[in-house]
């Protein structure tokens, strides 16, 4: 899944989709002027490619809204989590599903199910429903059910939980030193509830969890976390999505092409390369080479 540079489709944009064979498009503020303009962009792109795309956006509420001039702006999750009524979350999911589907969006990259702790969280903060995993689970599950009722797919993030990450993964590579017992008790329950609610996708996170995977690789590259835990122990059968592979946490670790291959090898089904053509082309070329050389399975 890749992003575009602006609100108007260019021939270069079409070439990138053709050459990389990207399956999906992620929309940002830079891609949206008006609903009519967005409809034209999506129609022109899919017509040029002669195939449907999976269209996604980050629509968490609060400050994380990409198509803000045509949708209801709900309070951030932390405010909602203090309201004391999970029916609000269900209603939010239903309304945003109807609004986003009218705009051509298939997949909401949310809700954020990270649980806050007493530790400073520079990037999650108000994106979380709070410090109580039961509240996070209840509100997240209700919102996922609301989205499903309105025909919108949801993506719970960021597994296995990074509400206590000491660094912003957009910029740097964080290390989270929590034990498996702490993660299971505090950070994983909202994802279990999301699965019970029928969530269709789960997004992983970029931090290193040395006590979960002693190899010391980011969770994005960890087969132990993605495949053995999420797929195996938790029996998640939906789509496993990477966070953006152009983030600083990843570029600090390895080049984008290697990152794409390692994320696919860890068990991800959908890889996000959201911003630059050079990175998108490098990721696609590395994946093709890895499949041809049988470093990645074909099925």
């Amino acid at each position: 899944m890749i992003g575009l540079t602006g609100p108007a489709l260019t021939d270069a944009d079409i070439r990138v989709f053709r050459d990389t064979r990207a399956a999906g498009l992620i929309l940002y503020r830079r891609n949206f002027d008006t609903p009519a303009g967005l409809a034209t962009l999506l129609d022109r792109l899919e017509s040029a490619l002669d195939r449907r795309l999976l269209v996604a956006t980050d629509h968490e509420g609060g400050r994380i809204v990409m198509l803000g001039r045509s949708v209801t702006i709900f309070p951030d999750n932390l405010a909602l989590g203090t309201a004391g009524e999970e029916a609000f979350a269900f209603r939010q999911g239903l309304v945003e599903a109807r609004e986003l589907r009218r705009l051509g969006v298939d997949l909401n990259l949310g809700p954020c199910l990270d649980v806050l702790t007493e530790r400073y969280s520079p990037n999650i903060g108000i994106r979380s429903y709070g410090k109580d995993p039961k509240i996070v689970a209840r509100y997240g599950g209700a919102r996922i059910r609301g989205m499903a009722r309105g025909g919108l797919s949801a993506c719970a993030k960021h597994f296995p939980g990074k509400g206590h990450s000491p660094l912003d993964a957009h910029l740097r590579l964080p290390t989270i030193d929590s034990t498996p017992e702490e993660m299971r008790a505090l950070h994983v329950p909202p994802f279990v509830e999301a699965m019970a609610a029928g969530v269709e996708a789960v997004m992983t996170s970029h931090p290193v969890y040395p006590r979960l995977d002693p190899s010391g690789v980011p969770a994005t590259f960890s087969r132990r976390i993605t495949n053995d835990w999420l797929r195996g122990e938790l029996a998640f059968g939906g789509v496993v999505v990477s966070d953006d592979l152009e983030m600083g946490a990843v570029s600090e670790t390895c080049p984008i092409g290697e990152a794409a291959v390692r994320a696919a090898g860890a068990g991800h089904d959908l890889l996000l390369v959201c911003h630059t053509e050079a990175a998108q082309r490098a990721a696609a070329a590395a994946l093709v080479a890895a499949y041809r050389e049988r470093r990645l399975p074909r099925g």
Side-chain angles (χ1 to χ4, degrees):
M1 177 172 282
I2 65 178
L4 298 175
T5 57
L9 189 68
T10 66
D11 291 340
D13 293 329
I14 295 170
R15 285 195 297 271
V16 172
F17 270 88
R18 280 180 177 154
D19 294 347
T20 64
R21 289 175 281 182
L25 166 66
I26 180 169
L27 297 171
Y28 286 95
R29 295 182 185 95
R30 64 179 184 254
N31 305 124
F32 184 73
D33 282 335
T34 65
L38 179 60
T40 298
L41 183 151
L42 296 177
D43 182 64
R44 282 193 59 208
L45 181 55
E46 291 182 336
S47 295
L49 299 174
D50 195 27
R51 59 184 171 91
R52 275 278 285 124
L53 293 171
L54 178 68
V55 180
T57 192
D58 288 298
H59 192 82
E60 297 181 20
R63 65 183 175 87
I64 311 295
V65 173
M66 302 299 152
L67 313 178
R69 292 189 296 278
S70 289
V71 295
T72 303
I73 306 298
F74 289 93
D76 58 72
N77 287 350
L78 191 58
L80 197 67
T82 64
E85 182 51 72
E86 63 193 71
F88 296 160
F90 177 88
R91 182 64 179 170
Q92 175 183 351
L94 181 60
V95 171
E96 64 193 359
R98 290 170 175 169
E99 293 177 340
L100 290 177
R101 292 298 291 132
R102 282 198 293 266
L103 291 170
V105 175
D106 306 300
L107 172 65
N108 181 10
L109 298 174
C112 178
L113 298 186
D114 299 304
V115 179
L116 297 178
T117 68
E118 297 300 328
R119 305 177 202 176
Y120 173 61
S121 174
N123 179 247
I124 300 302
I126 60 175
R127 300 168 65 192
S128 168
Y129 287 109
K131 295 180 180 179
D132 185 342
K134 294 180 180 178
I135 292 291
V136 177
R138 283 172 45 212
Y139 276 73
R143 189 169 167 197
I144 289 164
R145 290 182 175 95
M147 281 191 266
R149 178 75 63 84
L152 180 71
S153 296
C155 178
K157 61 188 185 186
H158 308 81
F159 184 83
K162 65 170 190 174
H164 52 324
S165 175
L167 296 172
D168 181 353
H170 290 84
L171 306 175
R172 298 288 306 280
L173 177 64
T175 296
I176 295 177
D177 202 32
S178 297
T179 65
E181 293 74 23
E182 179 186 350
M183 295 300 295
R184 285 190 176 93
L186 187 62
H187 298 283
V188 173
F191 294 96
V192 174
E193 176 60 28
M195 294 173 207
V199 74
E200 295 186 74
V202 170
M203 179 183 288
T204 60
S205 56
H206 290 324
V208 173
Y209 299 81
R211 297 195 185 188
L212 305 184
D213 186 343
S215 71
V217 301
T220 309
F221 304 151
S222 172
R223 191 163 181 83
R224 191 163 182 169
I225 291 173
T226 301
N227 186 74
D228 299 352
W229 195 1
L230 180 58
R231 287 286 193 211
E233 182 177 325
L234 299 181
F236 177 61
V239 177
V240 180
V241 184
S242 81
D243 210 340
D244 182 16
L245 295 178
E246 290 192 75
M247 285 185 183
V250 175
S251 61
E252 192 175 312
T253 306
C254 64
I256 186 69
E258 180 184 343
V261 173
R262 292 175 72 179
H268 291 83
D269 305 297
L270 184 61
L271 306 179
L272 269 59
V273 187
C274 300
H275 299 291
T276 64
E277 179 181 340
Q280 292 158 2
R281 289 185 177 279
L287 288 168
V288 169
Y291 284 116
R292 285 176 174 167
E293 296 163 8
R294 301 190 181 277
R295 289 182 285 127
L296 289 174
R298 291 178 179 267

